PDB file of all heavy atoms in Angstrom:
ATOM      1  N   MET A 146      -6.352 113.319 -88.362  1.00 97.00           N
ATOM      2  CA  MET A 146      -5.561 112.959 -89.537  1.00 97.00           C
ATOM      3  C   MET A 146      -6.348 113.199 -90.823  1.00 97.00           C
ATOM      4  O   MET A 146      -5.807 113.686 -91.822  1.00 97.00           O
ATOM      5  CB  MET A 146      -5.110 111.505 -89.433  1.00 97.00           C
ATOM      6  CG  MET A 146      -4.070 111.276 -88.335  1.00 97.00           C
ATOM      7  SD  MET A 146      -3.752 109.531 -87.969  1.00 97.00           S
ATOM      8  CE  MET A 146      -2.812 109.049 -89.422  1.00 97.00           C
ATOM      9  N   GLU A 147      -7.632 112.890 -90.815  1.00 96.00           N
ATOM     10  CA  GLU A 147      -8.472 113.173 -91.976  1.00 96.00           C
ATOM     11  C   GLU A 147      -8.556 114.678 -92.230  1.00 96.00           C
ATOM     12  O   GLU A 147      -8.501 115.140 -93.373  1.00 96.00           O
ATOM     13  CB  GLU A 147      -9.866 112.590 -91.761  1.00 96.00           C
ATOM     14  CG  GLU A 147      -9.901 111.060 -91.770  1.00 96.00           C
ATOM     15  CD  GLU A 147     -11.248 110.500 -91.355  1.00 96.00           C
ATOM     16  OE1 GLU A 147     -12.173 111.305 -91.096  1.00 96.00           O
ATOM     17  OE2 GLU A 147     -11.377 109.251 -91.282  1.00 96.00           O
ATOM     18  N   ASP A 148      -8.671 115.448 -91.151  1.00 97.00           N
ATOM     19  CA  ASP A 148      -8.719 116.908 -91.268  1.00 97.00           C
ATOM     20  C   ASP A 148      -7.410 117.446 -91.830  1.00 97.00           C
ATOM     21  O   ASP A 148      -7.400 118.367 -92.661  1.00 97.00           O
ATOM     22  CB  ASP A 148      -9.022 117.514 -89.898  1.00 97.00           C
ATOM     23  CG  ASP A 148      -9.419 118.978 -89.977  1.00 97.00           C
ATOM     24  OD1 ASP A 148      -9.874 119.423 -91.055  1.00 97.00           O
ATOM     25  OD2 ASP A 148      -9.290 119.676 -88.947  1.00 97.00           O
ATOM     26  N   MET A 149      -6.297 116.885 -91.407  1.00 98.00           N
ATOM     27  CA  MET A 149      -5.006 117.324 -91.922  1.00 98.00           C
ATOM     28  C   MET A 149      -4.894 117.056 -93.415  1.00 98.00           C
ATOM     29  O   MET A 149      -4.394 117.894 -94.181  1.00 98.00           O
ATOM     30  CB  MET A 149      -3.874 116.608 -91.178  1.00 98.00           C
ATOM     31  CG  MET A 149      -3.739 117.000 -89.724  1.00 98.00           C
ATOM     32  SD  MET A 149      -2.203 116.388 -88.970  1.00 98.00           S
ATOM     33  CE  MET A 149      -1.031 117.545 -89.685  1.00 98.00           C
ATOM     34  N   LEU A 150      -5.385 115.904 -93.848  1.00 97.00           N
ATOM     35  CA  LEU A 150      -5.356 115.585 -95.277  1.00 97.00           C
ATOM     36  C   LEU A 150      -6.153 116.616 -96.070  1.00 97.00           C
ATOM     37  O   LEU A 150      -5.698 117.091 -97.130  1.00 97.00           O
ATOM     38  CB  LEU A 150      -5.925 114.180 -95.482  1.00 97.00           C
ATOM     39  CG  LEU A 150      -5.432 113.370 -96.681  1.00 97.00           C
ATOM     40  CD1 LEU A 150      -3.926 113.206 -96.665  1.00 97.00           C
ATOM     41  CD2 LEU A 150      -6.108 112.003 -96.705  1.00 97.00           C
ATOM     42  N   ASP A 151      -7.314 116.998 -95.559  1.00 97.00           N
ATOM     43  CA  ASP A 151      -8.141 118.017 -96.226  1.00 97.00           C
ATOM     44  C   ASP A 151      -7.409 119.353 -96.279  1.00 97.00           C
ATOM     45  O   ASP A 151      -7.444 120.051 -97.310  1.00 97.00           O
ATOM     46  CB  ASP A 151      -9.479 118.188 -95.504  1.00 97.00           C
ATOM     47  CG  ASP A 151     -10.394 116.981 -95.672  1.00 97.00           C
ATOM     48  OD1 ASP A 151     -10.192 116.204 -96.625  1.00 97.00           O
ATOM     49  OD2 ASP A 151     -11.315 116.831 -94.856  1.00 97.00           O
ATOM     50  N   HIS A 152      -6.755 119.726 -95.187  1.00 98.00           N
ATOM     51  CA  HIS A 152      -6.041 121.002 -95.166  1.00 98.00           C
ATOM     52  C   HIS A 152      -4.885 121.006 -96.165  1.00 98.00           C
ATOM     53  O   HIS A 152      -4.623 122.029 -96.808  1.00 98.00           O
ATOM     54  CB  HIS A 152      -5.514 121.291 -93.757  1.00 98.00           C
ATOM     55  CG  HIS A 152      -6.499 121.997 -92.873  1.00 98.00           C
ATOM     56  ND1 HIS A 152      -7.552 121.351 -92.273  1.00 98.00           N
ATOM     57  CD2 HIS A 152      -6.601 123.308 -92.513  1.00 98.00           C
ATOM     58  CE1 HIS A 152      -8.247 122.227 -91.562  1.00 98.00           C
ATOM     59  NE2 HIS A 152      -7.696 123.415 -91.693  1.00 98.00           N
ATOM     60  N   ILE A 153      -4.194 119.896 -96.292  1.00 98.00           N
ATOM     61  CA  ILE A 153      -3.089 119.822 -97.254  1.00 98.00           C
ATOM     62  C   ILE A 153      -3.599 120.070 -98.667  1.00 98.00           C
ATOM     63  O   ILE A 153      -3.002 120.829 -99.441  1.00 98.00           O
ATOM     64  CB  ILE A 153      -2.387 118.448 -97.146  1.00 98.00           C
ATOM     65  CG1 ILE A 153      -1.658 118.337 -95.793  1.00 98.00           C
ATOM     66  CG2 ILE A 153      -1.420 118.227 -98.305  1.00 98.00           C
ATOM     67  CD1 ILE A 153      -1.255 116.916 -95.422  1.00 98.00           C
ATOM     68  N   VAL A 154      -4.717 119.442 -99.002  1.00 98.00           N
ATOM     69  CA  VAL A 154      -5.308 119.636-100.327  1.00 98.00           C
ATOM     70  C   VAL A 154      -5.768 121.086-100.502  1.00 98.00           C
ATOM     71  O   VAL A 154      -5.534 121.711-101.548  1.00 98.00           O
ATOM     72  CB  VAL A 154      -6.478 118.657-100.548  1.00 98.00           C
ATOM     73  CG1 VAL A 154      -7.224 118.974-101.837  1.00 98.00           C
ATOM     74  CG2 VAL A 154      -5.968 117.220-100.569  1.00 98.00           C
ATOM     75  N   ASN A 155      -6.400 121.644 -99.478  1.00 98.00           N
ATOM     76  CA  ASN A 155      -6.882 123.027 -99.560  1.00 98.00           C
ATOM     77  C   ASN A 155      -5.743 124.031 -99.690  1.00 98.00           C
ATOM     78  O   ASN A 155      -5.935 125.129-100.234  1.00 98.00           O
ATOM     79  CB  ASN A 155      -7.731 123.367 -98.334  1.00 98.00           C
ATOM     80  CG  ASN A 155      -9.054 122.621 -98.319  1.00 98.00           C
ATOM     81  OD1 ASN A 155      -9.540 122.184 -99.366  1.00 98.00           O
ATOM     82  ND2 ASN A 155      -9.642 122.458 -97.150  1.00 98.00           N
ATOM     83  N   LEU A 156      -4.557 123.657 -99.221  1.00 98.00           N
ATOM     84  CA  LEU A 156      -3.387 124.521 -99.353  1.00 98.00           C
ATOM     85  C   LEU A 156      -2.684 124.338-100.695  1.00 98.00           C
ATOM     86  O   LEU A 156      -1.643 124.950-100.938  1.00 98.00           O
ATOM     87  CB  LEU A 156      -2.404 124.232 -98.216  1.00 98.00           C
ATOM     88  CG  LEU A 156      -2.827 124.723 -96.821  1.00 98.00           C
ATOM     89  CD1 LEU A 156      -1.962 124.081 -95.740  1.00 98.00           C
ATOM     90  CD2 LEU A 156      -2.723 126.250 -96.744  1.00 98.00           C
ATOM     91  N   GLY A 157      -3.240 123.501-101.550  1.00 97.00           N
ATOM     92  CA  GLY A 157      -2.666 123.292-102.876  1.00 97.00           C
ATOM     93  C   GLY A 157      -1.828 122.043-103.008  1.00 97.00           C
ATOM     94  O   GLY A 157      -1.264 121.773-104.080  1.00 97.00           O
ATOM     95  N   GLY A 158      -1.734 121.261-101.940  1.00 98.00           N
ATOM     96  CA  GLY A 158      -0.962 120.029-102.014  1.00 98.00           C
ATOM     97  C   GLY A 158      -1.688 118.955-102.812  1.00 98.00           C
ATOM     98  O   GLY A 158      -2.916 118.951-102.899  1.00 98.00           O
TER      99      GLY A 158
END
Side-chain angles (χ1 to χ4, degrees):
M146 291 169 73
E147 291 172 2
D148 194 23
M149 292 191 76
L150 208 57
D151 290 339
H152 273 77
I153 292 164
V154 172
N155 291 337
L156 288 166

